Amino acid sequence: MSLLERAPGGSLADDRRVQALGVVAVLALAVVPFVTTDSLTGLILTGLVYVMLGVSWNLIAGYAGQISLGHAAFFGMGAFASAWVTTPSGAGLPEALQIPVVAAVLVGGVVSALIALVIGPVIFRLTGHYFAIGTLALAAVIELVMNDRRDLTGGATGYYVNADIGLGETISHGDMMFFLTLLATVITVWVTYYIVRGPAGLGMKAIHDDEEAASSLGVNPLKYKMYAFVASSFFAGIAGALYAHFSLYINAQSTLAVTWTVDSLVVVILGGMGTFAGPFFGAGLFLLLDNGLSAIVGGWAEAVEGILIILFIIFLPSGLYGLVDDYLVSETADTGGEMDADVADD
């Protein structure tokens, strides 16, 4: 008997044991700042940011089938937009624009979503690898422009961010940002789950499997691509805003670096693309690899990490979730349907 059971066509997230495990995991994370060091709290916060990036990138790539290589642009623009309204003086803006950190985080997500909404109809004229290259070029252009606008971004030097939440010495800045990031991660996962399980998710899966067939059946491909693109960009912007206000420093070169896109992609590949739980497994493994390999192999850490990722792509294309699904999950028969059939036979 397998550890977990799933009805045919169902989702493990519907299992009450899985839901209970999720609640326990969130409660365990909530006590992290009280039982660990600041450095470990910051490391776990980074892991939560990876979860948000993985979940958001998986929405556009894993479910809608649009491989975007411009995720870093939305992460970075969310960071900058939120910094502009918490630290307007750093960008030469009027102090009257200053708002609390929580509201600024939402501003970061909305700005990223609006950018996706504007450029989406244009960028989706490209398909396949042309779309991937187009999004990568878009991210590079945004990074160049933001790096050049020293008046708004501080250029390569950047500037420090004001993230005073106004709680005095009641709770430290790092702990407060941890709780905000945990809350944002839970909301991101919850909203994404209902998107994937709802009509929008069905539309995304349809264009992922066969866009022409879906279009012939009345599904509007652009509508669902835009839905996934805007939602994905919003959550990436939220992640960027939270990370900027945790680190208290921002600059165009690092905040908009393609590294954030690569990290998002790696998290999803390691966990399992197109699976809801994949980004959780991927973020945990990526965090261990990224921080543990250097202690084991020293300067060879990046090379070993790259080799492991290649091995995953070749031998475990469904990621860690595939292993869990193969060995720990079994599909249960529809007993209700079988009972109805027996009654009918009688």
Side-chain angles (χ1 to χ4, degrees):
M1 181 178 177
S2 299
L3 181 64
L4 297 171
E5 295 180 346
R6 175 183 58 204
S11 170
L12 279 179
D14 297 326
D15 191 308
R16 290 191 176 183
R17 288 174 296 178
V18 174
Q19 293 172 356
L21 185 62
V23 172
V24 171
V26 171
L27 293 176
L29 287 170
V31 301
V32 162
F34 304 111
V35 298
T36 63
T37 62
D38 290 343
S39 59
L40 185 55
T41 299
L43 184 64
I44 296 174
L45 182 146
T46 303
L48 293 174
V49 170
Y50 285 147
V51 169
M52 294 180 69
L53 286 173
V55 168
S56 59
W57 191 79
N58 193 40
L59 186 63
I60 180 70
Y63 287 101
Q66 310 301 306
I67 306 298
S68 170
L69 298 181
H71 216 50
F74 303 106
F75 176 88
M77 290 308 299
F80 271 108
S82 63
W84 288 335
V85 292
T86 56
T87 319
S89 59
L93 299 173
E95 288 291 337
L97 290 176
Q98 187 170 358
I99 60 176
V101 172
V102 176
V105 169
L106 291 175
V107 168
V110 170
V111 168
S112 293
L114 288 175
I115 293 172
L117 188 64
V118 171
I119 66 173
V122 178
I123 203 74
F124 279 122
R125 291 178 180 272
L126 304 173
T127 58
H129 57 278
Y130 293 109
F131 173 77
I133 295 171
T135 55
L136 180 61
L138 172 69
V141 168
I142 290 177
E143 181 183 354
L144 287 172
V145 170
M146 296 295 283
N147 199 44
D148 187 57
R149 291 298 306 270
R150 295 181 59 85
D151 55 330
L152 289 176
T153 67
T157 304
Y159 63 89
Y160 291 98
V161 178
N162 174 26
D164 183 16
I165 304 178
L167 296 178
E169 297 181 357
T170 306
I171 186 171
S172 70
H173 165 263
D175 291 351
M176 190 64 234
M177 290 309 302
F178 181 89
F179 292 130
L180 285 178
T181 305
L182 177 59
L183 177 61
T185 304
V186 171
I187 293 173
T188 298
V189 170
W190 182 74
V191 172
T192 304
Y193 173 76
Y194 280 99
I195 289 175
V196 169
R197 297 285 289 172
L202 293 175
M204 293 175 199
K205 293 173 186 176
I207 62 174
H208 176 278
D209 293 338
D210 192 327
E211 185 173 327
E212 292 185 1
S215 181
S216 68
L217 293 173
V219 176
N220 185 340
L222 180 60
K223 173 184 175 181
Y224 291 104
K225 288 179 184 178
M226 286 295 299
Y227 199 133
F229 195 42
V230 172
S232 174
S233 301
F234 174 79
F235 292 125
I238 293 288
L242 288 165
Y243 192 77
H245 285 84
F246 168 72
S247 62
L248 296 176
Y249 174 75
I250 190 171
N251 74 54
Q253 191 170 359
S254 62
T255 308
L256 288 157
V258 71
T259 308
W260 292 108
T261 296
V262 175
D263 290 348
S264 305
L265 188 149
V266 169
V267 163
V268 175
I269 288 176
L270 291 177
M273 185 179 293
T275 63
F276 186 74
F280 302 100
F281 295 120
L285 179 58
F286 180 66
L287 204 63
L288 289 174
L289 292 176
D290 206 37
N291 293 276
L293 283 177
S294 57
I296 300 173
V297 297
W300 292 92
E302 291 186 0
V304 173
E305 186 177 335
I307 292 171
L308 288 174
I309 292 169
I310 292 172
L311 291 175
F312 260 79
I313 294 173
I314 296 174
F315 298 107
L316 284 174
S318 56
L320 288 179
Y321 179 82
L323 284 178
V324 172
D325 194 47
D326 289 340
Y327 295 103
L328 300 179
V329 181
S330 64
E331 290 197 354
T332 58
D334 188 355
T335 55
E338 291 178 356
M339 292 176 62
D340 290 342
D342 292 339
V343 172
D345 290 338
D346 292 341

